[in-house]
Amino acid sequence: MNATISDKEPKNKNFEERFVIEKDRLLNFIKERNDYIKNLPEVEKKAFMASIETIKESKDKIERLLLKKELNKGINEILFSFEDLPLFGKEYWFMKFTANDGSRCQFFLMFGRSAGDIEVNGRYVENSRIMNNRTEGYCVSWAYDEIQRKITDHLGTIEVKDDKVTCSTRDILASFHGSFPKYTLDISSGDKMICCLDITEPADENCNSELSENFKGLFGYRVANLYFDFKGMLFEKEFSGKCYVQKVIVVGPLIPWKWSRIVFRNGSILTYYIPNIEFVGLEYNIRNFMEFYDADTKNIHRFKKAKVHEYPSEKGDKRWVITAEDNRVFVVMKSYCKEIFEFKNNFNFIYVENLVDVLDLKIETEGKIITLEETGSGRGMVEDTSGFVI
């Protein structure tokens, strides 16, 4: 089984014609941005102007990126390859594992690189160049297993070879390998095994994988997602449940978003994604997406107008109330631990991973109301982001 991206470009347009169109869009973008940055503080103004000038020097890489849209790349090809990143380009592998045995155990691994220099958690990552299928990047891994464990948070070397991608830091060696729909993740520290997880396609094929992309002008993203089952060992204990494996290529700045993925005891899954722009204290949604997979009926329900209400606590156990479509969806979540990451490149971008319990749930579908009584306990992650980075 192999998933592909459908080609939505008109067949009668050759690449040169499309590039002229994209160049015109870029020039319009530059004009609008120049009008905007006239009123910015001097430091921000210089940073924006430098970025706009540099984009003109990225013509060859942008051409190659647009050309790749016609290659109908499969999931394996995206997972086990490097992109030739243009200006503002970033690529990351993100893996999230959540137990569905009623425990709070969760485990995360993320590594990636950027086309430009960037500072991550106070460590400077230089513009990564690929040599012999290897490049420098950054790696973060942490877990909650009755206690919070930080596994690594450091510079790393990423290598892609055949059906395998590895990332090594001073703390660990992580290896993700296999072929759709079976993969394995091994992580070791010296001669000690941290985890060994077998990742397999779930029995229900309605909610297991996707490829998507969205480019407007010269900016956008390409994503491969796996919504799979897993089982194996973590810290010498049995560990199984639902996992989320993602490879994402982003061309553009990082802007704030709201995202969560919750796994329930019966296998149901709730997720939402709301990227937004903050301006003069107000938030403007770019997209608003919410989806609930009902494991009992094996149906996927999509909702509009999702809203995320945040309630900080002096004790640190932040809470969220999530609603959609006149309270057809009502969810209350509470955090039990978190990790904070900071990205710097002219500006600051704060990214917080919160592990949460679901305290209350009500989802109205056609002729049915779903509560925690039907789904069982729910746990997962809520991402908090703020700021901006190029």
Side-chain angles (χ1 to χ4, degrees), residues 68-268:
K68 283 187 177 182
K69 293 173 68 176
E70 299 183 357
L71 296 183
N72 295 327
K73 298 179 69 177
I75 284 180
N76 270 18
E77 292 173 284
I78 294 180
L79 287 174
F80 303 117
S81 69
F82 287 121
E83 291 284 349
D84 188 12
L85 297 176
L87 181 69
F88 304 145
K90 309 164 188 67
E91 66 178 332
Y92 285 92
W93 289 258
F94 177 82
M95 305 180 193
K96 170 183 179 292
F97 301 84
T98 303
N100 63 352
D101 59 0
S103 73
R104 285 178 158 183
C105 187
Q106 298 194 59
F107 169 68
F108 307 90
L109 171 68
M110 180 177 68
F111 56 90
R113 67 190 190 100
S114 172
D117 299 350
I118 193 168
E119 185 179 315
V120 185
N121 291 348
R123 296 182 176 90
Y124 190 73
V125 186
E126 293 186 355
N127 181 8
S128 57
R129 294 173 175 81
I130 301 169
M131 297 183 62
N132 299 321
N133 296 317
R134 293 163 61 98
T135 189
E136 299 305 309
Y138 203 84
C139 180
V140 173
S141 181
W142 68 288
Y144 185 90
D145 175 34
E146 299 178 353
I147 61 172
Q148 190 167 341
R149 303 172 185 255
K150 181 170 289 189
I151 298 168
T152 192
D153 180 3
H154 218 277
L155 305 176
T157 299
I158 306 168
E159 181 175 9
V160 172
K161 187 176 182 182
D162 300 325
D163 291 339
K164 181 188 219 180
V165 56
T166 62
C167 183
S168 58
T169 72
R170 67 180 189 181
D171 306 307
I172 66 165
L173 172 62
S175 172
F176 179 77
H177 52 94
S179 183
F180 192 96
K182 294 183 179 180
Y183 302 93
T184 300
L185 174 65
D186 298 317
I187 300 180
S188 59
S189 178
D191 57 359
K192 184 178 180 180
M193 183 64 67
I194 294 175
C195 79
C196 180
L197 304 175
D198 292 323
I199 301 167
T200 56
E201 186 178 25
D204 181 14
E205 297 182 356
N206 291 329
C207 186
N208 60 19
S209 61
E210 64 179 344
L211 288 172
S212 62
E213 64 176 17
N214 183 10
F215 281 89
K216 294 183 178 180
L218 300 174
F219 303 97
Y221 63 85
R222 180 177 297 123
V223 177
N225 290 329
L226 300 177
Y227 308 106
F228 276 25
D229 293 342
F230 74 91
K231 63 179 179 180
M233 304 293 292
L234 175 68
F235 305 128
E236 300 181 343
K237 299 177 184 177
E238 291 187 0
F239 184 41
S240 63
K242 297 288 185 180
C243 74
Y244 171 54
V245 175
Q246 179 187 77
K247 167 69 181 296
V248 58
I249 300 100
V250 178
V251 181
L254 291 180
I255 61 174
W257 68 80
K258 301 178 187 299
W259 179 89
S260 180
R261 181 171 171 82
I262 304 299
V263 175
F264 294 92
R265 186 73 183 274
N266 73 339
S268 296

Side-chain angles (χ1 to χ4, degrees), residues 274-293:
I274 310 173
N276 59 277
I277 295 176
E278 298 175 357
F279 183 70
V280 196
L282 300 176
E283 294 184 356
Y284 300 88
N285 293 167
I286 299 172
R287 186 186 178 200
N288 193 301
F289 169 86
M290 175 179 280
E291 183 176 277
F292 177 74
Y293 170 70

Side-chain angles (χ1 to χ4, degrees), residues 352-365:
V352 185
E353 295 178 336
N354 302 274
L355 303 192
V356 299
D357 294 314
V358 176
L359 303 182
D360 195 7
L361 173 73
K362 184 196 76 171
I363 296 181
E364 294 184 14
T365 63

